[in-house]
Amino acid sequence: NRHFWTGGADDELRFLRCQDDGTYVHPPSPRCPKCHGKNLAVEAVSGRATVHTFSINVQQWMPGPEPPYVVAIVELPEQEALRLTTNIVNCAPDDVRVGMPVQVTFERHDDDEESVYTPLFEPVP
């Protein structure tokens, strides 16, 4: 899944895609869930999505994001049911709506060997 966590360096949201039937595979798997083939390759998607569902978190469960913040499942237009659990950022939590168009933005995190980029989503301007 390295492609997923490092794609933000190139401002790309990347998923595995079956080269036999075109199915996007997420979460990553060694086989296509549709045809069970192994002919998978990394491909970038548009980075656009729609809020499928969400929750406004008001409890401080762990260090990190200060509440309130939005945990959402977004659906990408490239494939029905291609969904990603993420946070909605750059938007007041009360302004988030199901069906809202959003786009990917990346949050960079550096470790000892390599940077990783967490895909987050923000409203489309």
Side-chain angles (χ1 to χ4, degrees):
N1 64 8
R2 184 176 186 276
H3 61 274
F4 181 82
W5 297 109
T6 60
D10 298 318
D11 206 30
E12 289 185 344
L13 182 58
R14 299 175 182 157
F15 294 99
L16 291 176
R17 189 172 192 193
C18 179
Q19 301 303 290
D20 296 327
D21 67 19
T23 300
Y24 286 95
V25 180
H26 185 75
S29 170
R31 291 187 178 266
C32 173
K34 187 174 178 182
C35 73
H36 306 289
K38 292 183 181 181
N39 188 15
L40 306 176
V42 175
E43 289 189 18
V45 295
S46 67
R48 298 286 179 137
T50 303
V51 174
H52 179 73
T53 189
F54 69 95
S55 176
I56 299 173
N57 198 29
V58 296
Q59 177 68 38
Q60 183 74 47
W61 297 105
M62 62 185 176
E66 290 295 318
Y69 60 91
V70 177
V71 177
I73 297 175
V74 299
E75 183 166 295
L76 288 80
E78 283 80 3
Q79 176 178 293
E80 185 177 344
L82 178 59
R83 296 177 183 156
L84 182 62
T85 302
T86 185
N87 292 110
I88 305 297
V89 297
N90 303 325
C91 177
D94 288 338
D95 291 341
V96 176
R97 298 285 179 260
V98 169
M100 184 170 86
V102 290
Q103 64 190 13
V104 73
T105 185
F106 295 95
E107 184 177 86
R108 180 179 170 167
H109 298 273
D110 296 319
D111 68 14
D112 294 336
E113 297 179 23
E114 183 173 39
S115 297
V116 295
Y117 297 81
T118 303
L120 307 171
F121 283 77
E122 63 187 358
V124 172

